[in-house]
Every structure is written in C-alpha cells, then in structure tokens.
C-alpha cells in the first residue's frame, strides 16, 4: 500500500469511529517522532504490547475488497499467559467496510468476542477445524452469540446487527465483511500475538508492505520494528 493511502484510511477511520462516540487513547494521535521518544522513555509498553494503528490489505494491494482497519487499544503479555494469571486480555477496535473481506482464518491461542458496535450488518462465514487444523467443510458449527448457542451448517453465514456479538474459540475458522454499510467492530480477546497466531486458509500475509510516497501521519504497529529501532 502507498503511505498516502494509509494516511487517508487513518483520517477516514478516525472520523468514522468518533461518529459513534468512541474516542481512542491519547497515544493514537502521537506523531512518529513523539512515539519514538515516548516508547524509549515512559511508554515502552506500547511497543512491547504492539498497541496502535494496524491497517492491512493482507499484502494483496486491493484494500477496498480485501482488508481491515484495526487499532489495538490494550494487550496483555505472553508471560502472564504462561503463568495462568495477570493481564491475559486484549482489546481492539476495527472497521470492516461494506463488502471488504477479512479472509478465512483461525487462531491457535486466541479466543475472541467479535462485537458489532454500529453501522451496517457484520456477516461472518464459519467452519469448524478438522483434527489436522484444516477447514472442516462438513460438520455443523456451534457458536455463542451473546450467551445464546447458535447452530448452523458448515460455511453458514452468521449476521450480527449493531449490539450483537459472537464468541469465536481457537479452531473456529472465520471470515467476515460488512453488509449494507461499513461496520464498527469491537474485539475483546485473549492476549494477542498477531505475528504468530493467525492461520489463513489461503497463503496470504497478515501485514502490508508500504510504499513511502509521503511522510506517515501516525506509525502502524507493522512500522515499529523499522521506525522505532
Ligand atoms: Fe480472528
């Protein structure tokens, strides 16, 4: 993706998020220079937990069709997870645009509640896993939506209206997109490591490569290794 496109998506997304009365934390608005200074001094946890802006076209260069906007607001730590106590949770705010696909994937560790916070309908396509982890095209899928168990055919579509959510457990294959409008999505989950815990059905990347055609408005999490080193 071009940096100018990333900057524009940040501006549009910020506006969309604010239109629902949701305001992101102060570090969302730090310049790259301030982020660099602060993560070296009083805000190291932002870097360690990889909090912040995350815009991906899954490396395919067609963001409107295949992509996702995310902002990680909090994330626990892997050591606590191994100990079984402490900060074991994470939270993201995301936007799935109308007809913009987040491709079929599953997680090994992370359980996640995906919440429609407003806008259009959020559509999720769901499958179970076979014992080898591959997509199970046959068996019915059972998931909890706001405490209610829903059973549907393999590959069935679960439609969430604003206010509704689904709990996806490790092994639940899922793809999702907005219908009838862009959707503001909340994610509440187990501690999250996006570098290792996303298994895609098709060979695909989790992050974008950036063509630097202008200066970044804000850094993406995927910029941290290069820009904050
Ligand atoms: Fe997921």
């Amino acid at each position: 993706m071009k940096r100018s496109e990333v900057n524009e998506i940040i501006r549009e997304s910020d506006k969309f998020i604010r239109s629902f009365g949701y305001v992101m934390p102060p570090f969302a608005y730090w310049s790259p220079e301030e982020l660099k200074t602060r993560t070296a001094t009083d805000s190291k946890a932002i870097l360690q937990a990889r909090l912040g802006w995350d815009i991906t076209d899954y490396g395919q260069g067609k963001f409107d069709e295949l992509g996702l906007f995310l902002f990680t607001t909090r994330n626990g730590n892997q050591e606590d997870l191994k100990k079984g106590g402490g900060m074991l949770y994470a939270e993201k705010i995301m936007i799935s645009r109308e007809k913009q696909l987040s491709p079929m994937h599953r997680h090994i560790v992370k359980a996640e509640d995906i919440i429609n916070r407003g806008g259009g309908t959020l559509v999720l396509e769901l499958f179970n896993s076979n014992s080898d982890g591959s997509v199970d095209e046959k068996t019915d899928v059972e998931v909890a939506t706001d405490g209610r168990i829903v059973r549907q055919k393999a590959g069935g579509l679960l439609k969430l209206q604003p206010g509704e959510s689904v709990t996806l457990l490790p092994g639940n294959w899922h793809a999702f997109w907005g219908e009838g409008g862009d959707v503001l999505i909340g994610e509440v989950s187990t501690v999250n490591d996006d570098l290792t815990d996303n298994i895609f059905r098709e060979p695909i990347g989790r992050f974008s490569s950036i063509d630097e055609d202008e200066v970044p408005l804000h850094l993406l999490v995927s910029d941290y290794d290069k820009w904050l080193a």
Side-chain angles (χ1 to χ4, degrees), residues 12 37 59 66-67 77 88 92 94 106 123 128 154 162 179 182 186 192 194 213 218 229:
E12 290 167 0
T37 308
L66 189 71
N77 86 54
L88 308 179
K92 293 180 186 182
M94 315 192 288
R106 65 176 169 84
V123 185
N128 292 323
E179 188 179 81
D182 300 347
N192 173 226
D194 275 322
D213 64 332
H218 303 296

Side-chain angles (χ1 to χ4, degrees), residues 68 94 102-103 105-107 110 112 114 124 168 172-176 187 194 197-198:
L68 186 64
M94 315 192 288
S102 279
H105 69 283
R106 65 176 169 84
H107 308 288
K110 183 171 74 161
E112 55 188 2
I114 302 291
L124 295 106
L168 299 174
N172 283 146
W173 283 96
H174 51 288
F176 55 88
E187 177 180 306
D194 275 322
D197 198 21
N198 292 285

Side-chain angles (χ1 to χ4, degrees), residues 36-170:
K36 184 161 187 169
T37 308
R38 300 287 290 269
T39 53
T41 54
D42 66 354
S43 304
K44 293 192 174 91
I46 292 171
L47 191 54
Q48 284 157 0
R50 299 181 83 79
L51 309 183
W53 303 92
D54 178 3
I55 291 163
T56 184
D57 65 355
Y58 300 94
Q60 305 299 299
K62 40 181 183 177
F63 179 76
D64 290 343
E65 293 164 51
L66 189 71
L68 186 64
F69 165 91
L70 314 93
F71 187 96
T72 302
T73 49
R74 68 201 77 243
N75 193 9
N77 86 54
Q78 301 291 334
E79 292 308 310
D80 281 359
L81 194 59
K82 283 181 211 148
K83 279 191 306 203
M87 191 176 181
L88 308 179
Y89 52 88
E91 183 196 31
K92 293 180 186 182
I93 190 82
M94 315 192 288
I95 300 166
S96 214
R97 295 185 179 188
E98 185 173 9
K99 296 182 183 149
Q100 182 188 40
L101 177 68
S102 279
M104 189 59 68
H105 69 283
R106 65 176 169 84
H107 308 288
I108 300 163
V109 173
K110 183 171 74 161
E112 55 188 2
D113 275 20
I114 302 291
I115 309 147
N116 183 335
R117 294 281 190 206
T121 302
L122 181 64
V123 185
L124 295 106
E125 183 184 10
L126 302 172
F127 293 96
N128 292 323
S129 291
N130 290 312
S131 53
D132 66 357
S134 60
V135 174
D136 175 350
E137 309 263 3
K138 296 198 179 77
T139 61
D140 289 0
V141 179
E142 265 189 13
V143 285
T145 67
D146 304 301
R148 182 174 62 101
I149 300 297
V150 171
R151 189 182 177 93
Q152 55 183 40
K153 296 275 179 223
L157 303 182
L158 180 71
K159 299 198 174 191
L160 300 178
Q161 304 306 323
E164 294 183 328
S165 71
V166 62
T167 301
L168 299 174
L169 297 173

